[in-house]
Amino acid sequence: MAEELTISSSADKAEKYKNLLPQIVGLIHGESDMIANLANMAAALKQTMDFFWVGFYIVKDDELVLGPFQGPIACTRIKLGKGVCGTAWQKAETIIVPNVDEFPGHIACSSDSKSEIVIPVIAQGDVKMILDVDSDKIDDFDEVDQKYLQLLMHKLESTLN
Ligand code: SME
């Protein structure tokens, strides 16, 4: 497919996700290099959904290590159970944080980040990486983001099995 996304900027959030998902699947289809695919996923999400920060942390031994992302520079390593990312890894479940100031132990990579959603990517029964999305608006993520971002991560999981 052409390296170009076609998403109407006037569409609502669910419509944007619905249009975007098959295009991202097309982008990663046939490419076996994980870093290349994560980089394009982060770029496609940032470009289309206008998130403040979007990227991956990859499980390496007992830490999450920063992977491909789009947005301001970020902390490079997060321990199991620390911050929103380390908690989503430990629990192996999606976490939505409406107000990062109210999440105990939140790791502030940027003071402009106000709300956050973190989705684990699970293969062979283990969390392999997490997708972290930050917004500069309070309470910016809901079940629509959860549904479509989880669907997208399931597509990624199927390439890891
Ligand atoms: N806020 C995250 C850290 C990663 S940055 O937001 C990019 C956390 O609490 O785990």
Side-chain angles (χ1 to χ4, degrees), residues 53 57 74-75 78 82-86 106-107 109 116 132 134:
W53 194 95
Y57 280 91
C75 52
I78 298 173
K82 298 293 178 191
V84 186
C85 296
H106 169 258
I107 300 164
C109 294
E116 186 163 357
D132 180 18
D134 288 35

Side-chain angles (χ1 to χ4, degrees), residues 53-55 57 64 66 69 72-75 78 82-87 97 100 103 105-110 113 115-116 118 130 132-134:
W53 194 95
V54 53
Y57 280 91
L64 292 169
L66 183 63
F69 72 95
I73 58 167
C75 52
I78 298 173
K82 298 293 178 191
V84 186
C85 296
T87 305
V97 180
V100 295
F103 187 93
H106 169 258
I107 300 164
C109 294
S110 164
S113 173
S115 58
E116 186 163 357
V118 178
I130 59 99
D132 180 18
V133 188
D134 288 35

